[in-house]
Amino acid sequence: METAVALPPAGVHLAQLPPLALYVHMPWCVKKCPYCDFNSHQAKGEVPERAYVAALVADLESSLPEVWGRRVASVFFGGGTPSLFSAGAIATLLSEFRARLPLAPDGEVTLEANPGTFEAEKFRGYRDAGVNRLSIGVQSLNPKHLRALGRIHDDAEARRAIEIARASFDNFNLDLMYALPGQTPEEARADAQAAIDSGAPHLSFYHLTLEPNTLFYRHPPPLPDDDAAAEMQETLAAMLGAAGYVNYETSAWAKPGRECRHNLNYWRFGDYLGIGAGAHSKLSFPDRITRSSRTKEPRGYLERAARSEAVQERHDLARPDLVFEFMMNALRLADGFAVSSFAERTGLQIAAAEKPLREAEARGLIERDHERIRPSALGRRFLNDLLQLFLPAC
Ligand code: SF4
């Protein structure tokens, strides 16, 4: 199979820079979940809120030369469990960000929250601080599965969290998983129905996978087999579609107009500055596109951010990697991408990807005309096979 992308000899040239988003990583959780491979750490006692807020501000301050003059279209507080931080801390951060970077007045500001940390007053405080979208890590509404997943909350707390979110935010997401330990298709259907009944404008349904460096990977629980998981996926797709949700990205479902703008920017190969422990950034310049990451371990991050040394690794993206990374994001979207956006975001001509695109088309994995390229139903189902075609040749 030929997969190498053909590249002209000229360098990257970006006529304009893409939209910019700000990601803020909050690395602590009450307890580490056995399936989680995020950069999250069990908090020993209170989180060091004041020190971490100061570190984030110092981190942003030292990153400003990379984003001078650019407007931030969205902010996302992710984790970890950002809702372990007080509303006052989030208010301080947002006002410190605004003092240093122009945030779009209608910008989406999302905060991830764990149902085990919900108090109505705190969530009203987040809203008053400027958060306008909540993302709630519900995972399931079945008490048996919540226990199997090692979650700190039960189904009653999850339902209460949804009630509190609905009272203060008109825009919120529920994160859920399927193919859970011991889960039957009927139980997956009940979770999907509960999610629909919640009225959430956005739902994310992830297939539980066993990631290396997790407890579940070392001690795998009994999981539904591939056929059962596929049946669950088809059932929930039919239910969510009938309820008016559009599956605009592999795992994301939204009522029309409620797509997550911050995540859409990732999938459209936009720019993001990530601050906080272990946060990743992708930033474009007229002649290059860079990726960087910050120190992962929270204590080390606190020390290094104070010395303006939070960035641990930084590199320019090589041109074959640009093709793969663009496709890896854009082909997750049901609507794919505008052909013109490939050159706008990568600085390369679409001809650089012609060979794998032709192969993908011949195998029925994409559909294209002169304006758009999108994954076919087959391509969405076998996304990994589709993306492999764009892997740089070794
Ligand atoms: S609460 Fe979320 S981030 Fe924290 S350990 Fe569990 S899955 Fe990971």
Side-chain angles (χ1 to χ4, degrees):
M1 182 175 66
E2 273 190 286
T3 59
V5 293
L7 290 168
V12 166
H13 170 70
L14 291 171
Q16 60 185 39
L17 301 182
L20 174 67
L22 177 64
Y23 174 77
V24 187
H25 193 74
M26 320 293 261
W28 290 283
C29 293
V30 174
K31 181 172 156 263
K32 183 82 179 175
C33 300
Y35 57 87
C36 177
D37 74 336
F38 296 154
N39 184 31
S40 59
H41 303 260
Q42 182 165 338
K44 299 182 179 79
E46 295 282 303
V47 297
E49 184 169 285
R50 285 169 71 101
Y52 198 69
V53 166
L56 287 171
V57 174
D59 190 355
L60 176 63
E61 187 82 39
S62 56
S63 308
L64 289 178
E66 295 186 291
V67 293
W68 277 134
R70 297 182 66 182
R71 195 162 94 141
V72 170
S74 61
V75 180
F76 195 105
F77 292 95
T81 303
S83 54
L84 284 178
F85 283 70
S86 68
I90 300 299
T92 301
L93 282 171
L94 283 170
S95 78
E96 296 283 357
F97 297 163
R98 283 197 188 92
R100 289 165 177 80
L101 277 173
L103 301 193
D106 61 343
E108 181 186 86
V109 181
T110 304
L111 181 132
E112 286 186 333
N114 184 309
T117 63
F118 263 70
E119 299 148 30
E121 201 179 323
K122 182 156 83 172
F123 280 76
R124 279 194 293 276
Y126 291 147
R127 183 197 59 198
D128 295 344
V131 174
N132 53 29
R133 184 174 183 272
L134 275 191
S135 180
I136 310 170
V138 167
Q139 314 311 349
S140 170
L141 287 146
N142 180 316
K144 179 178 76 176
H145 296 132
L146 288 170
R147 276 196 301 278
L149 290 171
R151 300 290 294 179
I152 60 165
H153 61 89
D154 60 19
D155 57 316
E157 283 170 302
R159 287 175 208 281
R160 191 168 152 269
I162 295 168
E163 279 311 307
I164 292 173
R166 201 164 34 201
S168 296
F169 293 87
D170 81 325
N171 199 9
F172 64 97
N173 164 64
L174 304 184
D175 273 347
L176 292 123
M177 294 194 293
Y178 68 96
L180 304 176
Q183 190 178 37
T184 65
E186 197 41 55
E187 288 167 336
R189 173 185 287 274
D191 265 357
Q193 191 58 52
I196 292 167
D197 293 345
S198 75
H202 193 287
L203 298 169
S204 303
F205 266 93
Y206 301 101
H207 184 166
L208 173 66
T209 49
L210 303 184
E211 302 294 340
N213 300 319
T214 64
L215 192 67
F216 271 7
Y217 191 80
R218 292 190 293 278
H219 306 284
L223 295 177
D225 63 25
D226 288 350
D227 287 346
E231 185 189 331
M232 289 179 199
Q233 206 280 334
E234 277 168 29
T235 302
L236 73 89
M239 291 173 71
L240 297 181
Y245 290 91
V246 178
N247 186 200
Y248 69 101
E249 183 270 347
T250 309
S251 307
W253 297 78
K255 292 280 174 73
R258 296 308 190 102
E259 297 84 2
C260 176
R261 286 190 261 154
H262 184 87
N263 287 342
L264 268 179
N265 186 52
Y266 292 147
W267 297 319
R268 290 176 176 156
F269 212 50
D271 277 4
Y272 49 95
L273 171 63
I275 58 172
H280 293 255
S281 303
K282 177 235 164 199
L283 293 172
S284 301
F285 302 87
D287 59 350
R288 67 191 194 284
I289 298 174
T290 65
R291 285 203 179 278
S292 61
S293 58
R294 268 111 172 113
T295 302
K296 274 180 93 170
E297 201 275 314
R299 287 281 151 202
Y301 171 80
L302 283 169
E303 287 166 21
R304 293 184 59 135
R307 301 197 303 267
S308 300
E309 292 173 357
V311 175
Q312 192 170 43
E313 194 275 337
R314 190 194 317 265
H315 65 274
D316 290 352
L317 280 175
R319 295 158 73 229
D321 293 338
L322 277 172
V323 176
F324 176 66
E325 293 206 14
F326 178 92
M327 296 298 175
M328 190 173 67
N329 284 284
L331 290 174
R332 296 181 68 89
L333 292 168
D335 206 23
F337 60 94
V339 173
S340 58
S341 74
F342 180 83
E344 283 166 20
R345 299 295 157 89
T346 63
L348 304 172
Q349 296 306 310
I350 192 71
E354 184 53 31
K355 197 183 278 184
L357 282 172
R358 221 181 295 137
E359 166 133 17
E361 194 173 21
R363 290 171 56 180
L365 297 169
I366 59 164
E367 293 159 356
R368 63 171 166 167
D369 54 33
H370 61 286
E371 283 185 350
R372 280 204 95 74
I373 297 174
R374 52 172 68 83
S376 64
L378 191 69
R380 296 189 77 193
R381 183 147 178 231
F382 296 101
L383 185 61
N384 284 343
D385 292 349
L386 170 55
L387 297 180
Q388 270 184 16
L389 298 176
F390 298 93
L391 272 175
C394 297

